[in-house]
Amino acid sequence: EPNIEGTGSEDYFNDAWGLHVEEGPYTGVPVADGTGLGSRMTAYRWHLIDPVAFRTSLRFEIEHRGWTFNQDGAIKAAFGERTDLMSSVAFWYQIGIAKGLPPVPYGSARLPQGNAKQIEVEDRIADARAEKGKTSISRDLFWSKDVLLFEGEGPGAKLDVPFDVDEDGDYELYTQIAQGSDYGIYRVLLDGKPPVAPVLEHEPGADVRPQTEFDGYLYETYVGLDYQIGWPRLAKGNHTVTFVCTGKNAASTGYTLGIDNLILARTGAEGWARAAAVRPPQIPDDVPGLVRALGDADLVVRGLAARRLRDRGHVAALPALDALTARLADSEWVVRMAAAETLRIFGPSAARASEALLVAAQKPGESVHVVRACAEALGAIGPEARVALPFLKELGGKPTVYVGGVIELSPQAAARNAVERIEHGGTTKRQP
């Protein structure tokens, strides 16, 4: 049985005393963040000059054991089971198409953490504390994302954003940042200090990830920059993320900071064990079951139930009309949008939902996607939705907001088309 044996996992990738950034034609390490919990290590090896030939199958194993340490830094074991999270990909040449392989795991089954908590920071604006700047909320700044804006006055300006931790443990903490032409450069502190993660190795030669900062400048507005704050060990209770302005890009016209959210996930051995126990939500196939699922405590189940009813078609899904109408007042905008999009398929049969659609569309601060979906549903109902004409005409007369660069996705365009359908008995005219 052919095998390769070494003194450590790094030997296989032609390295020693840990992994270090290097790139070669056959082996390399593109990423080596360090040895703290959460540090990323990415390595490759191409068996081009030393191919491993096989006819039927090949099994590749790598040890998941090594140095382990206690929380105080003392050595626990020299060859103990570690909590490293490993994943791999392999490529090979073969003749023909492989058959009989197991299916690729469903998306959520491939995630290392299955307990992520998304914290919408704009909901904490009353608790946020600003120095040398002012805060506000920008609604629908980019693809219906509400962002907490901090207009910093310059270097030294800072913003404290509080968040809560439910229990002691190791966590992964990210923030999603907005960018724009007047945004500044910021570094992030956790509870007033640079984030520190538990150390998993004491290798003297290992690369150490430096404390970094992010540049918010971009020539056009974008919300979606993921910034890893760190993998800290947090105690139950209140904590604070602080954003400190250190300057700005030469091309930027200001020192603005835009925060979409914080993402907190339990990690380490306990967090991964919980993730392994998570199963995808089960969505019924029958209409009565889907009606019940519309009232489920899980927003994902409610939203998927509405989607599945839409796929059933208006005749089969008609018994769910009242339950879908009730979801227009759901606490989650994604469920309200899914309900409105499904009501659209009923056409005139959804006439009794007109009032609820109008109320949902007029909700202060409502997502543009919900407003658009309600307008489209009202248009599909036709003349029996005349109660909504004043609102739709007012909305359609406003300047068009391009959603993701597509005019057809705007609520204004949907409102103008709805007016045409309501006033002209169901016919529609494409708006320029």
Side-chain angles (χ1 to χ4, degrees), residues 158-169:
K158 67 178 183 178
L159 176 67
D160 292 332
V161 178
F163 67 97
D164 298 317
V165 173
D166 295 331
E167 58 184 344
D168 297 350

Side-chain angles (χ1 to χ4, degrees), residues 1-6 11-12 45 47 50 52 60-61:
E1 295 183 1
N3 64 80
I4 298 174
E5 293 185 9
D11 294 280
Y12 176 71
R45 174 166 176 171
H47 286 276
D50 55 345
V52 181
F60 180 92
E61 294 181 345

Side-chain angles (χ1 to χ4, degrees), residues 246-289:
T246 61
K248 69 178 183 68
N249 189 295
S252 178
T253 59
Y255 300 90
T256 301
L257 166 71
I259 314 169
D260 184 21
N261 54 48
L262 295 174
I263 300 175
L264 185 68
R266 185 74 184 274
T267 187
E270 292 184 6
W272 297 332
R274 294 183 184 185
V278 173
R279 295 291 180 266
Q282 300 299 311
I283 312 299
D285 285 324
D286 61 299
V287 172

Side-chain angles (χ1 to χ4, degrees), residues 117-193:
K117 176 183 179 182
Q118 183 167 305
I119 304 168
E120 298 295 343
V121 296
E122 69 272 9
D123 296 336
R124 304 296 299 270
I125 188 171
D127 301 318
R129 186 175 63 184
E131 292 185 19
K132 295 181 63 178
K134 61 181 181 178
T135 60
S136 62
I137 297 176
S138 179
R139 299 288 182 187
D140 302 320
L141 179 62
F142 183 85
W143 275 85
S144 75
K145 294 183 177 181
D146 298 334
V147 172
L148 174 61
L149 287 182
F150 173 60
E151 297 176 66
E153 297 173 0
K158 67 178 183 178
L159 176 67
D160 292 332
V161 178
F163 67 97
D164 298 317
V165 173
D166 295 331
E167 58 184 344
D168 297 350
D170 294 318
Y171 288 88
E172 177 184 62
L173 181 59
Y174 269 82
T175 183
Q176 291 185 317
I177 299 299
Q179 295 171 282
S181 60
D182 61 342
Y183 284 55
I185 299 174
Y186 283 79
R187 63 188 176 96
V188 184
L189 303 176
L190 178 60
D191 294 329
K193 301 176 182 179

Side-chain angles (χ1 to χ4, degrees), residues 178-323:
Q179 295 171 282
S181 60
D182 61 342
Y183 284 55
I185 299 174
Y186 283 79
R187 63 188 176 96
V188 184
L189 303 176
L190 178 60
D191 294 329
K193 301 176 182 179
V196 176
V199 175
L200 299 182
E201 287 281 10
H202 291 186
E203 302 280 5
D207 291 347
V208 177
R209 178 177 56 191
Q211 175 67 23
T212 58
E213 55 190 17
F214 63 85
D215 186 351
Y217 170 76
L218 197 64
Y219 67 94
E220 62 180 1
T221 301
Y222 174 70
V223 181
L225 174 65
D226 291 322
Y227 177 78
Q228 185 195 73
I229 296 175
W231 291 54
R233 179 164 289 151
L234 298 174
K236 178 181 178 180
N238 186 257
H239 294 268
T240 302
V241 171
T242 301
F243 298 85
V244 182
C245 181
T246 61
K248 69 178 183 68
N249 189 295
S252 178
T253 59
Y255 300 90
T256 301
L257 166 71
I259 314 169
D260 184 21
N261 54 48
L262 295 174
I263 300 175
L264 185 68
R266 185 74 184 274
T267 187
E270 292 184 6
W272 297 332
R274 294 183 184 185
V278 173
R279 295 291 180 266
Q282 300 299 311
I283 312 299
D285 285 324
D286 61 299
V287 172
L290 290 171
V291 171
R292 291 192 297 271
L294 287 172
D296 195 273
D298 187 342
L299 74 93
V300 175
V301 173
R302 300 198 302 274
L304 290 178
R307 296 287 190 197
R308 189 160 290 184
L309 284 165
R310 182 188 63 181
D311 296 340
R312 290 290 181 274
H314 72 281
V315 175
L318 194 57
L321 176 60
D322 292 336

